[in-house]
Amino acid sequence: MPQEVAEIVRKYLRHDKKFPHIWCAGCGNGIVLGSLIRAIDLSGVEKDNIVLVSGIGCSGRITVYVDLNTLHVTHGRALSFATGIKLAKDSLKVIVVMGDGDATAIGGNHFIHAARRNMDLTAIIINNQIYGMTGGQYSPTTPYDSKTTTSPYGHIENTFSISELAIAAGASFVARGTVYHTQLLDDAIRLAILKKGFSVVEILSNCHTHYGKLNGMETPVAAMRWFRDHVAVVGKEGALPPGRSAETDEKIRIGVLKNVEKPVYSEEYQKVRDHAKNSLSS
Amino acid sequence: MSAFGSDKKRVLLQGNEAIVEGAIAAGCRFFAGYPITPASEISERMSRRLPQLDGTFIQMEDEIAGMGAVIGASLAGVKSMTATSGPGFSLMQENLGFACMAEVPCVVVNVMRGGPSTGLPTNPSQGDVMQARWGTHGDHPVIVLAVSTVLDCFQITVEAFNMSEKYRVPVVILSDEIVAHTREVVTLPSVGEFEAYNRVSPKMPPEWYIPYADNSMGVPPMAAFGEGYHHHVTGLMHDVRGFPTQRPDEIEALVGRLFRKITQGFHEIQKVETFMMDDAEVAVIAYGSVSRSARRAVLDARRQGLKAGLLKLITLFPFPRHSVEEALQKCRVALVPEMNMGQISREVKRVNQTVSIVKKYNRVDGQLITPQEIYQQLIKI
């Protein structure tokens, strides 16, 4: 293990207490965990000032492994707990890790409203297109016609595009990455953490155990190849790279999809406090 | 509009407003909720009062989120509260269970209206008593307090915060539409006339902190996020360090402690008021707005020579069995009037053990039980 990797692992993981982790061999969650701690380290934010919040599902277990202030809450509600933490103590940097079902099915309401309010939180959504922990049932991002344990005859629902949902709901920063493009992922998470406002990183990940098994992608390597071959990296501010073609348009865009400046909730609420105190003294 | 200050003040307040003033006096600086009748005045006054005090009010997207934000704020070290009515209280149950499991102090006000379902939005009820005790799944300890007057609304809310901080447990305040909207002139206690208790913080260095270690009270010190302790908080069964466990011995120790801390504090948590009980032969056991009708009925019965008395329950859970048993041993009959089909009367019967005769009187038509009705029941005895 290179020296700097060993140092990051020692600094950020509860390595002596909580490993080995519960994830399947080859799961993308481990890659996200690695990317997250590298991004936190590069962001320069002090450990004591970070709260990592997660919900329920395979992704929810990430909080156990990281030596930060960590909170593992009810299914879908992580953003509401995070909202309370942030408003009660604005000095804290609150990062929320969710899965696709956690963030956009049971927690969909909280997700769009946190984005609408532009709450100063970072939402990292690991999108493996399935409910892994409960045995591979279909989620809001399961592709049409896929087989899952609750769509044995093929999935008939349309999918959410999590990034587009976040953009439309009013997030300040939206990026998409994959567990194959780890350098891009490190950058996206670091930028999201440093962004003032509601920042979202959607990470396409693999669940070969459940999704892959029923849909011709039995190994993590097959999933990695798929990610390599089916994405196009966008340039800054959501523009497609030069040489845009019909081919890239069909590909999934990864990179920073939205990055705008707008007032964050806590700053706006400080105005409310000032106004209230002025009205009291006058 | 500062109703609460360093001087005693006589103010005209409704129950919902007095709950806000009580919460603020107790140190509450965070409120997250969702509009619902007949609790809305609590949100409205909070939205005005909290920013004046550098606190935070936020109206969330639903009651689920309201309860989540309240727990989050408390974990960050700020005393926090939400308020709702039946349908919203149903939505809060899952996160209320999280607060029980992770031992997060917070206060939830349920201004009861008629149910089930959307029910009777603007009429009183006491139908949520058992939901307040058992609404969230699993074995869990919880404290439930009932208010019956505007002054209660202030004082019991202070008490609710103190108990939640002391025992690290969510405290549910059950109000009802009558208490919520009754306006009374009250003299609010001034600073120094009541204690505002704060949770115990860890004093040891972070590397020595064991977040869920047992102690004599069964209530471990609570670190707030951002104080250097970087501990783990989860709704899963956890070991003393807060990490998930499936070890039977660790699970039993946790659940056992969650109950023990309330059992050990029982005598302090059990709160009742007695009225003319010293020589009473017939006891009315009541709570909430019905206890006010009962008080008048007791006076009327006394005028007719019937030795009646009132045991007003403030603590509903843990059920104040010692006070109730004492009343049952003293009186030949106990009458339990309630605006439900008999939720507390069952508890009274449970502790009665055939010592006395327990009669219930119920009304579920959205109307308050009047003094006359209780009086009629008393003279029939």
Side-chain angles (χ1 to χ4, degrees), chain B residues 35-40 63 84-89 110-129 131 174-178 339 366:
Chain B
I36 190 165
T37 306
S40 291
E63 288 90 344
T84 187
S85 188
F89 193 54
N110 175 6
V111 184
M112 291 183 286
R113 67 191 217 184
S117 192
T118 315
L120 277 168
T122 55
N123 289 36
S125 161
Q126 295 178 320
D128 304 347
V129 170
Q131 186 190 21
L174 288 180
S175 179
D176 62 62
E177 190 277 335
I178 299 279
M339 291 187 286

PDB file of all heavy atoms in Angstrom, chain B residues 35-40 63 84-89 110-129 131 174-178 339 366:
ATOM      1  N   PRO B  35     -47.734  22.036   8.891  1.00  0.00           N
ATOM      2  CA  PRO B  35     -49.025  22.589   9.332  1.00  0.00           C
ATOM      3  C   PRO B  35     -50.089  21.512   9.552  1.00  0.00           C
ATOM      4  O   PRO B  35     -50.247  20.619   8.721  1.00  0.00           O
ATOM      5  CB  PRO B  35     -49.432  23.493   8.155  1.00  0.00           C
ATOM      6  CG  PRO B  35     -48.165  23.788   7.423  1.00  0.00           C
ATOM      7  CD  PRO B  35     -47.318  22.570   7.586  1.00  0.00           C
ATOM      8  N   ILE B  36     -50.782  21.611  10.677  1.00  0.00           N
ATOM      9  CA  ILE B  36     -51.925  20.734  10.921  1.00  0.00           C
ATOM     10  C   ILE B  36     -52.784  21.342  12.021  1.00  0.00           C
ATOM     11  O   ILE B  36     -52.273  21.869  13.006  1.00  0.00           O
ATOM     12  CB  ILE B  36     -51.480  19.289  11.274  1.00  0.00           C
ATOM     13  CG1 ILE B  36     -52.687  18.325  11.277  1.00  0.00           C
ATOM     14  CG2 ILE B  36     -50.760  19.234  12.606  1.00  0.00           C
ATOM     15  CD1 ILE B  36     -52.304  16.847  11.262  1.00  0.00           C
ATOM     16  N   THR B  37     -54.079  21.281  11.811  1.00  0.00           N
ATOM     17  CA  THR B  37     -55.034  21.721  12.819  1.00  0.00           C
ATOM     18  C   THR B  37     -55.258  20.583  13.798  1.00  0.00           C
ATOM     19  O   THR B  37     -55.358  19.433  13.359  1.00  0.00           O
ATOM     20  CB  THR B  37     -56.384  22.058  12.141  1.00  0.00           C
ATOM     21  OG1 THR B  37     -56.112  22.998  11.101  1.00  0.00           O
ATOM     22  CG2 THR B  37     -57.375  22.634  13.117  1.00  0.00           C
ATOM     23  N   PRO B  38     -55.381  20.824  15.090  1.00  0.00           N
ATOM     24  CA  PRO B  38     -55.394  22.113  15.802  1.00  0.00           C
ATOM     25  C   PRO B  38     -54.062  22.461  16.468  1.00  0.00           C
ATOM     26  O   PRO B  38     -54.054  23.017  17.551  1.00  0.00           O
ATOM     27  CB  PRO B  38     -56.473  21.870  16.859  1.00  0.00           C
ATOM     28  CG  PRO B  38     -56.406  20.394  17.134  1.00  0.00           C
ATOM     29  CD  PRO B  38     -55.848  19.723  15.914  1.00  0.00           C
ATOM     30  N   ALA B  39     -52.941  22.150  15.792  1.00  0.00           N
ATOM     31  CA  ALA B  39     -51.636  22.441  16.387  1.00  0.00           C
ATOM     32  C   ALA B  39     -50.930  23.626  15.737  1.00  0.00           C
ATOM     33  O   ALA B  39     -49.863  24.025  16.167  1.00  0.00           O
ATOM     34  CB  ALA B  39     -50.741  21.201  16.285  1.00  0.00           C
ATOM     35  N   SER B  40     -51.523  24.193  14.687  1.00  0.00           N
ATOM     36  CA  SER B  40     -50.803  25.162  13.853  1.00  0.00           C
ATOM     37  C   SER B  40     -50.278  26.377  14.609  1.00  0.00           C
ATOM     38  O   SER B  40     -49.237  26.928  14.251  1.00  0.00           O
ATOM     39  CB  SER B  40     -51.702  25.636  12.707  1.00  0.00           C
ATOM     40  OG  SER B  40     -51.905  24.573  11.805  1.00  0.00           O
ATOM     41  N   GLU B  63     -44.447  15.636   8.135  1.00  0.00           N
ATOM     42  CA  GLU B  63     -44.139  15.411   9.552  1.00  0.00           C
ATOM     43  C   GLU B  63     -42.996  14.419   9.742  1.00  0.00           C
ATOM     44  O   GLU B  63     -42.313  14.446  10.765  1.00  0.00           O
ATOM     45  CB  GLU B  63     -45.381  14.907  10.294  1.00  0.00           C
ATOM     46  CG  GLU B  63     -46.452  15.959  10.509  1.00  0.00           C
ATOM     47  CD  GLU B  63     -47.475  16.034   9.391  1.00  0.00           C
ATOM     48  OE1 GLU B  63     -47.210  15.491   8.289  1.00  0.00           O
ATOM     49  OE2 GLU B  63     -48.542  16.634   9.601  1.00  0.00           O
ATOM     50  N   THR B  84     -47.787  18.521  16.431  1.00  0.00           N
ATOM     51  CA  THR B  84     -48.635  18.004  15.373  1.00  0.00           C
ATOM     52  C   THR B  84     -49.972  17.573  15.953  1.00  0.00           C
ATOM     53  O   THR B  84     -50.267  17.812  17.128  1.00  0.00           O
ATOM     54  CB  THR B  84     -47.921  16.835  14.658  1.00  0.00           C
ATOM     55  OG1 THR B  84     -48.682  16.455  13.526  1.00  0.00           O
ATOM     56  CG2 THR B  84     -47.755  15.628  15.573  1.00  0.00           C
ATOM     57  N   SER B  85     -50.777  16.928  15.113  1.00  0.00           N
ATOM     58  CA  SER B  85     -52.010  16.296  15.568  1.00  0.00           C
ATOM     59  C   SER B  85     -52.071  14.903  14.936  1.00  0.00           C
ATOM     60  O   SER B  85     -51.181  14.538  14.167  1.00  0.00           O
ATOM     61  CB  SER B  85     -53.210  17.151  15.167  1.00  0.00           C
ATOM     62  OG  SER B  85     -54.394  16.634  15.763  1.00  0.00           O
ATOM     63  N   GLY B  86     -53.118  14.158  15.247  1.00  0.00           N
ATOM     64  CA  GLY B  86     -53.204  12.735  14.913  1.00  0.00           C
ATOM     65  C   GLY B  86     -52.527  12.263  13.641  1.00  0.00           C
ATOM     66  O   GLY B  86     -51.591  11.453  13.714  1.00  0.00           O
ATOM     67  N   PRO B  87     -52.958  12.702  12.448  1.00  0.00           N
ATOM     68  CA  PRO B  87     -52.349  12.163  11.228  1.00  0.00           C
ATOM     69  C   PRO B  87     -50.841  12.404  11.170  1.00  0.00           C
ATOM     70  O   PRO B  87     -50.081  11.530  10.744  1.00  0.00           O
ATOM     71  CB  PRO B  87     -53.067  12.941  10.112  1.00  0.00           C
ATOM     72  CG  PRO B  87     -54.380  13.326  10.712  1.00  0.00           C
ATOM     73  CD  PRO B  87     -54.093  13.605  12.164  1.00  0.00           C
ATOM     74  N   GLY B  88     -50.416  13.573  11.602  1.00  0.00           N
ATOM     75  CA  GLY B  88     -48.984  13.878  11.626  1.00  0.00           C
ATOM     76  C   GLY B  88     -48.254  13.048  12.651  1.00  0.00           C
ATOM     77  O   GLY B  88     -47.116  12.624  12.437  1.00  0.00           O
ATOM     78  N   PHE B  89     -48.931  12.803  13.774  1.00  0.00           N
ATOM     79  CA  PHE B  89     -48.312  11.978  14.828  1.00  0.00           C
ATOM     80  C   PHE B  89     -48.091  10.558  14.302  1.00  0.00           C
ATOM     81  O   PHE B  89     -47.067   9.936  14.604  1.00  0.00           O
ATOM     82  CB  PHE B  89     -49.207  11.988  16.067  1.00  0.00           C
ATOM     83  CG  PHE B  89     -48.547  11.444  17.311  1.00  0.00           C
ATOM     84  CD1 PHE B  89     -47.339  11.942  17.752  1.00  0.00           C
ATOM     85  CD2 PHE B  89     -49.164  10.446  18.048  1.00  0.00           C
ATOM     86  CE1 PHE B  89     -46.729  11.448  18.903  1.00  0.00           C
ATOM     87  CE2 PHE B  89     -48.566   9.940  19.199  1.00  0.00           C
ATOM     88  CZ  PHE B  89     -47.351  10.441  19.619  1.00  0.00           C
ATOM     89  N   ASN B 110     -48.548  16.433  20.664  1.00  0.00           N
ATOM     90  CA  ASN B 110     -49.670  15.963  19.848  1.00  0.00           C
ATOM     91  C   ASN B 110     -50.943  16.610  20.396  1.00  0.00           C
ATOM     92  O   ASN B 110     -51.409  16.263  21.472  1.00  0.00           O
ATOM     93  CB  ASN B 110     -49.757  14.436  19.906  1.00  0.00           C
ATOM     94  CG  ASN B 110     -50.983  13.893  19.175  1.00  0.00           C
ATOM     95  OD1 ASN B 110     -51.726  14.643  18.532  1.00  0.00           O
ATOM     96  ND2 ASN B 110     -51.208  12.591  19.274  1.00  0.00           N
ATOM     97  N   VAL B 111     -51.447  17.572  19.646  1.00  0.00           N
ATOM     98  CA  VAL B 111     -52.712  18.196  20.027  1.00  0.00           C
ATOM     99  C   VAL B 111     -53.816  17.312  19.453  1.00  0.00           C
ATOM    100  O   VAL B 111     -54.110  17.358  18.264  1.00  0.00           O
ATOM    101  CB  VAL B 111     -52.829  19.634  19.480  1.00  0.00           C
ATOM    102  CG1 VAL B 111     -54.111  20.283  19.980  1.00  0.00           C
ATOM    103  CG2 VAL B 111     -51.626  20.471  19.907  1.00  0.00           C
ATOM    104  N   MET B 112     -54.391  16.492  20.331  1.00  0.00           N
ATOM    105  CA  MET B 112     -55.284  15.434  19.841  1.00  0.00           C
ATOM    106  C   MET B 112     -56.587  15.979  19.259  1.00  0.00           C
ATOM    107  O   MET B 112     -57.204  16.883  19.810  1.00  0.00           O
ATOM    108  CB  MET B 112     -55.591  14.448  20.966  1.00  0.00           C
ATOM    109  CG  MET B 112     -54.414  13.606  21.386  1.00  0.00           C
ATOM    110  SD  MET B 112     -54.847  12.402  22.660  1.00  0.00           S
ATOM    111  CE  MET B 112     -55.002  13.465  24.090  1.00  0.00           C
ATOM    112  N   ARG B 113     -56.966  15.403  18.127  1.00  0.00           N
ATOM    113  CA  ARG B 113     -58.246  15.644  17.488  1.00  0.00           C
ATOM    114  C   ARG B 113     -58.884  14.289  17.244  1.00  0.00           C
ATOM    115  O   ARG B 113     -58.239  13.259  17.442  1.00  0.00           O
ATOM    116  CB  ARG B 113     -58.049  16.404  16.184  1.00  0.00           C
ATOM    117  CG  ARG B 113     -57.327  15.596  15.117  1.00  0.00           C
ATOM    118  CD  ARG B 113     -56.914  16.476  13.960  1.00  0.00           C
ATOM    119  NE  ARG B 113     -57.039  15.800  12.678  1.00  0.00           N
ATOM    120  CZ  ARG B 113     -56.650  16.354  11.525  1.00  0.00           C
ATOM    121  NH1 ARG B 113     -56.118  17.559  11.497  1.00  0.00           N
ATOM    122  NH2 ARG B 113     -56.806  15.706  10.384  1.00  0.00           N
ATOM    123  N   GLY B 114     -60.129  14.308  16.811  1.00  0.00           N
ATOM    124  CA  GLY B 114     -60.825  13.038  16.616  1.00  0.00           C
ATOM    125  C   GLY B 114     -60.208  12.213  15.507  1.00  0.00           C
ATOM    126  O   GLY B 114     -59.818  12.736  14.478  1.00  0.00           O
ATOM    127  N   GLY B 115     -60.139  10.909  15.707  1.00  0.00           N
ATOM    128  CA  GLY B 115     -59.631   9.984  14.706  1.00  0.00           C
ATOM    129  C   GLY B 115     -60.492   8.748  14.709  1.00  0.00           C
ATOM    130  O   GLY B 115     -61.492   8.710  15.418  1.00  0.00           O
ATOM    131  N   PRO B 116     -60.182   7.720  13.973  1.00  0.00           N
ATOM    132  CA  PRO B 116     -58.972   7.533  13.173  1.00  0.00           C
ATOM    133  C   PRO B 116     -58.976   8.326  11.856  1.00  0.00           C
ATOM    134  O   PRO B 116     -59.943   9.008  11.562  1.00  0.00           O
ATOM    135  CB  PRO B 116     -58.993   6.018  12.880  1.00  0.00           C
ATOM    136  CG  PRO B 116     -60.436   5.646  12.904  1.00  0.00           C
ATOM    137  CD  PRO B 116     -61.055   6.550  13.931  1.00  0.00           C
ATOM    138  N   SER B 117     -57.873   8.205  11.142  1.00  0.00           N
ATOM    139  CA  SER B 117     -57.659   8.873   9.860  1.00  0.00           C
ATOM    140  C   SER B 117     -57.809  10.387   9.991  1.00  0.00           C
ATOM    141  O   SER B 117     -57.501  10.948  11.016  1.00  0.00           O
ATOM    142  CB  SER B 117     -58.577   8.298   8.781  1.00  0.00           C
ATOM    143  OG  SER B 117     -58.176   8.755   7.516  1.00  0.00           O
ATOM    144  N   THR B 118     -58.330  11.022   8.957  1.00  0.00           N
ATOM    145  CA  THR B 118     -58.441  12.482   9.000  1.00  0.00           C
ATOM    146  C   THR B 118     -59.387  12.907  10.108  1.00  0.00           C
ATOM    147  O   THR B 118     -59.230  13.969  10.709  1.00  0.00           O
ATOM    148  CB  THR B 118     -58.918  13.006   7.629  1.00  0.00           C
ATOM    149  OG1 THR B 118     -58.170  12.342   6.620  1.00  0.00           O
ATOM    150  CG2 THR B 118     -58.717  14.497   7.492  1.00  0.00           C
ATOM    151  N   GLY B 119     -60.365  12.087  10.392  1.00  0.00           N
ATOM    152  CA  GLY B 119     -61.177  12.227  11.594  1.00  0.00           C
ATOM    153  C   GLY B 119     -61.883  13.556  11.736  1.00  0.00           C
ATOM    154  O   GLY B 119     -62.553  14.020  10.817  1.00  0.00           O
ATOM    155  N   LEU B 120     -61.696  14.169  12.901  1.00  0.00           N
ATOM    156  CA  LEU B 120     -62.363  15.430  13.230  1.00  0.00           C
ATOM    157  C   LEU B 120     -61.309  16.499  13.486  1.00  0.00           C
ATOM    158  O   LEU B 120     -60.881  16.686  14.621  1.00  0.00           O
ATOM    159  CB  LEU B 120     -63.197  15.242  14.503  1.00  0.00           C
ATOM    160  CG  LEU B 120     -64.585  14.632  14.379  1.00  0.00           C
ATOM    161  CD1 LEU B 120     -65.098  14.260  15.763  1.00  0.00           C
ATOM    162  CD2 LEU B 120     -65.548  15.603  13.709  1.00  0.00           C
ATOM    163  N   PRO B 121     -60.908  17.206  12.427  1.00  0.00           N
ATOM    164  CA  PRO B 121     -59.760  18.109  12.549  1.00  0.00           C
ATOM    165  C   PRO B 121     -59.920  19.219  13.591  1.00  0.00           C
ATOM    166  O   PRO B 121     -58.931  19.682  14.122  1.00  0.00           O
ATOM    167  CB  PRO B 121     -59.614  18.692  11.152  1.00  0.00           C
ATOM    168  CG  PRO B 121     -60.213  17.670  10.262  1.00  0.00           C
ATOM    169  CD  PRO B 121     -61.347  17.065  11.041  1.00  0.00           C
ATOM    170  N   THR B 122     -61.125  19.655  13.864  1.00  0.00           N
ATOM    171  CA  THR B 122     -61.214  20.799  14.771  1.00  0.00           C
ATOM    172  C   THR B 122     -61.982  20.472  16.039  1.00  0.00           C
ATOM    173  O   THR B 122     -62.426  21.366  16.747  1.00  0.00           O
ATOM    174  CB  THR B 122     -61.877  22.004  14.067  1.00  0.00           C
ATOM    175  OG1 THR B 122     -63.146  21.582  13.564  1.00  0.00           O
ATOM    176  CG2 THR B 122     -61.025  22.492  12.928  1.00  0.00           C
ATOM    177  N   ASN B 123     -62.140  19.184  16.326  1.00  0.00           N
ATOM    178  CA  ASN B 123     -62.821  18.803  17.566  1.00  0.00           C
ATOM    179  C   ASN B 123     -61.874  18.021  18.475  1.00  0.00           C
ATOM    180  O   ASN B 123     -60.985  17.364  17.997  1.00  0.00           O
ATOM    181  CB  ASN B 123     -64.042  17.926  17.253  1.00  0.00           C
ATOM    182  CG  ASN B 123     -65.156  18.723  16.596  1.00  0.00           C
ATOM    183  OD1 ASN B 123     -64.891  19.614  15.808  1.00  0.00           O
ATOM    184  ND2 ASN B 123     -66.383  18.387  16.905  1.00  0.00           N
ATOM    185  N   PRO B 124     -62.128  18.096  19.775  1.00  0.00           N
ATOM    186  CA  PRO B 124     -61.201  17.445  20.704  1.00  0.00           C
ATOM    187  C   PRO B 124     -61.400  15.938  20.777  1.00  0.00           C
ATOM    188  O   PRO B 124     -62.456  15.417  20.421  1.00  0.00           O
ATOM    189  CB  PRO B 124     -61.548  18.081  22.044  1.00  0.00           C
ATOM    190  CG  PRO B 124     -62.997  18.398  21.928  1.00  0.00           C
ATOM    191  CD  PRO B 124     -63.216  18.778  20.493  1.00  0.00           C
ATOM    192  N   SER B 125     -60.383  15.283  21.275  1.00  0.00           N
ATOM    193  CA  SER B 125     -60.385  13.839  21.445  1.00  0.00           C
ATOM    194  C   SER B 125     -59.247  13.474  22.386  1.00  0.00           C
ATOM    195  O   SER B 125     -58.354  14.294  22.624  1.00  0.00           O
ATOM    196  CB  SER B 125     -60.186  13.156  20.092  1.00  0.00           C
ATOM    197  OG  SER B 125     -59.755  11.824  20.262  1.00  0.00           O
ATOM    198  N   GLN B 126     -59.318  12.277  22.931  1.00  0.00           N
ATOM    199  CA  GLN B 126     -58.173  11.742  23.667  1.00  0.00           C
ATOM    200  C   GLN B 126     -57.844  10.357  23.118  1.00  0.00           C
ATOM    201  O   GLN B 126     -57.438   9.469  23.841  1.00  0.00           O
ATOM    202  CB  GLN B 126     -58.486  11.687  25.171  1.00  0.00           C
ATOM    203  CG  GLN B 126     -58.679  13.084  25.764  1.00  0.00           C
ATOM    204  CD  GLN B 126     -59.031  13.069  27.232  1.00  0.00           C
ATOM    205  OE1 GLN B 126     -59.809  12.223  27.684  1.00  0.00           O
ATOM    206  NE2 GLN B 126     -58.473  14.002  27.987  1.00  0.00           N
ATOM    207  N   GLY B 127     -58.029  10.231  21.814  1.00  0.00           N
ATOM    208  CA  GLY B 127     -57.923   8.925  21.183  1.00  0.00           C
ATOM    209  C   GLY B 127     -56.509   8.430  20.930  1.00  0.00           C
ATOM    210  O   GLY B 127     -56.325   7.299  20.508  1.00  0.00           O
ATOM    211  N   ASP B 128     -55.505   9.278  21.179  1.00  0.00           N
ATOM    212  CA  ASP B 128     -54.128   8.899  20.808  1.00  0.00           C
ATOM    213  C   ASP B 128     -53.289   8.475  22.003  1.00  0.00           C
ATOM    214  O   ASP B 128     -52.062   8.421  21.916  1.00  0.00           O
ATOM    215  CB  ASP B 128     -53.425  10.077  20.110  1.00  0.00           C
ATOM    216  CG  ASP B 128     -54.174  10.576  18.893  1.00  0.00           C
ATOM    217  OD1 ASP B 128     -55.103   9.875  18.440  1.00  0.00           O
ATOM    218  OD2 ASP B 128     -53.846  11.673  18.400  1.00  0.00           O
ATOM    219  N   VAL B 129     -53.935   8.194  23.128  1.00  0.00           N
ATOM    220  CA  VAL B 129     -53.192   7.879  24.351  1.00  0.00           C
ATOM    221  C   VAL B 129     -52.322   6.642  24.160  1.00  0.00           C
ATOM    222  O   VAL B 129     -51.119   6.648  24.445  1.00  0.00           O
ATOM    223  CB  VAL B 129     -54.158   7.685  25.541  1.00  0.00           C
ATOM    224  CG1 VAL B 129     -53.422   7.122  26.751  1.00  0.00           C
ATOM    225  CG2 VAL B 129     -54.833   9.004  25.888  1.00  0.00           C
ATOM    226  N   GLN B 131     -51.513   5.278  21.331  1.00  0.00           N
ATOM    227  CA  GLN B 131     -50.548   5.494  20.249  1.00  0.00           C
ATOM    228  C   GLN B 131     -49.302   6.197  20.784  1.00  0.00           C
ATOM    229  O   GLN B 131     -48.182   5.897  20.369  1.00  0.00           O
ATOM    230  CB  GLN B 131     -51.167   6.330  19.121  1.00  0.00           C
ATOM    231  CG  GLN B 131     -50.220   6.443  17.927  1.00  0.00           C
ATOM    232  CD  GLN B 131     -50.668   7.447  16.894  1.00  0.00           C
ATOM    233  OE1 GLN B 131     -51.456   8.353  17.185  1.00  0.00           O
ATOM    234  NE2 GLN B 131     -50.189   7.299  15.685  1.00  0.00           N
ATOM    235  N   LEU B 174     -49.322  15.226  25.373  1.00  0.00           N
ATOM    236  CA  LEU B 174     -50.657  15.102  24.791  1.00  0.00           C
ATOM    237  C   LEU B 174     -51.504  16.275  25.245  1.00  0.00           C
ATOM    238  O   LEU B 174     -51.758  16.468  26.432  1.00  0.00           O
ATOM    239  CB  LEU B 174     -51.314  13.781  25.214  1.00  0.00           C
ATOM    240  CG  LEU B 174     -50.739  12.507  24.585  1.00  0.00           C
ATOM    241  CD1 LEU B 174     -51.494  11.285  25.090  1.00  0.00           C
ATOM    242  CD2 LEU B 174     -50.789  12.561  23.054  1.00  0.00           C
ATOM    243  N   SER B 175     -51.888  17.070  24.278  1.00  0.00           N
ATOM    244  CA  SER B 175     -52.835  18.150  24.519  1.00  0.00           C
ATOM    245  C   SER B 175     -54.109  17.755  23.782  1.00  0.00           C
ATOM    246  O   SER B 175     -54.197  16.668  23.222  1.00  0.00           O
ATOM    247  CB  SER B 175     -52.253  19.464  23.986  1.00  0.00           C
ATOM    248  OG  SER B 175     -53.142  20.530  24.189  1.00  0.00           O
ATOM    249  N   ASP B 176     -55.109  18.577  23.802  1.00  0.00           N
ATOM    250  CA  ASP B 176     -56.265  18.322  22.950  1.00  0.00           C
ATOM    251  C   ASP B 176     -56.825  19.651  22.477  1.00  0.00           C
ATOM    252  O   ASP B 176     -56.402  20.712  22.948  1.00  0.00           O
ATOM    253  CB  ASP B 176     -57.318  17.458  23.667  1.00  0.00           C
ATOM    254  CG  ASP B 176     -57.894  18.123  24.903  1.00  0.00           C
ATOM    255  OD1 ASP B 176     -58.515  19.203  24.781  1.00  0.00           O
ATOM    256  OD2 ASP B 176     -57.730  17.559  26.010  1.00  0.00           O
ATOM    257  N   GLU B 177     -57.741  19.581  21.570  1.00  0.00           N
ATOM    258  CA  GLU B 177     -58.194  20.800  20.906  1.00  0.00           C
ATOM    259  C   GLU B 177     -58.742  21.821  21.904  1.00  0.00           C
ATOM    260  O   GLU B 177     -58.555  23.028  21.719  1.00  0.00           O
ATOM    261  CB  GLU B 177     -59.240  20.452  19.832  1.00  0.00           C
ATOM    262  CG  GLU B 177     -59.610  21.602  18.910  1.00  0.00           C
ATOM    263  CD  GLU B 177     -60.667  22.525  19.483  1.00  0.00           C
ATOM    264  OE1 GLU B 177     -61.454  22.083  20.338  1.00  0.00           O
ATOM    265  OE2 GLU B 177     -60.681  23.712  19.095  1.00  0.00           O
ATOM    266  N   ILE B 178     -59.381  21.355  22.972  1.00  0.00           N
ATOM    267  CA  ILE B 178     -59.940  22.291  23.961  1.00  0.00           C
ATOM    268  C   ILE B 178     -58.812  23.024  24.701  1.00  0.00           C
ATOM    269  O   ILE B 178     -58.814  24.256  24.798  1.00  0.00           O
ATOM    270  CB  ILE B 178     -60.820  21.527  24.991  1.00  0.00           C
ATOM    271  CG1 ILE B 178     -61.991  20.827  24.298  1.00  0.00           C
ATOM    272  CG2 ILE B 178     -61.276  22.471  26.098  1.00  0.00           C
ATOM    273  CD1 ILE B 178     -63.164  21.677  23.979  1.00  0.00           C
ATOM    274  N   MET B 339     -62.326  11.040  26.573  1.00  0.00           N
ATOM    275  CA  MET B 339     -62.843  11.257  25.216  1.00  0.00           C
ATOM    276  C   MET B 339     -62.244  10.209  24.273  1.00  0.00           C
ATOM    277  O   MET B 339     -61.580  10.515  23.279  1.00  0.00           O
ATOM    278  CB  MET B 339     -62.509  12.664  24.743  1.00  0.00           C
ATOM    279  CG  MET B 339     -63.296  13.742  25.502  1.00  0.00           C
ATOM    280  SD  MET B 339     -63.034  15.379  24.808  1.00  0.00           S
ATOM    281  CE  MET B 339     -61.398  15.718  25.380  1.00  0.00           C
ATOM    282  N   GLY B 366     -66.677  13.900  19.469  1.00  0.00           N
ATOM    283  CA  GLY B 366     -66.016  15.172  19.187  1.00  0.00           C
ATOM    284  C   GLY B 366     -66.405  16.289  20.137  1.00  0.00           C
ATOM    285  O   GLY B 366     -66.061  17.445  19.914  1.00  0.00           O
TER     286      GLY B 366
END
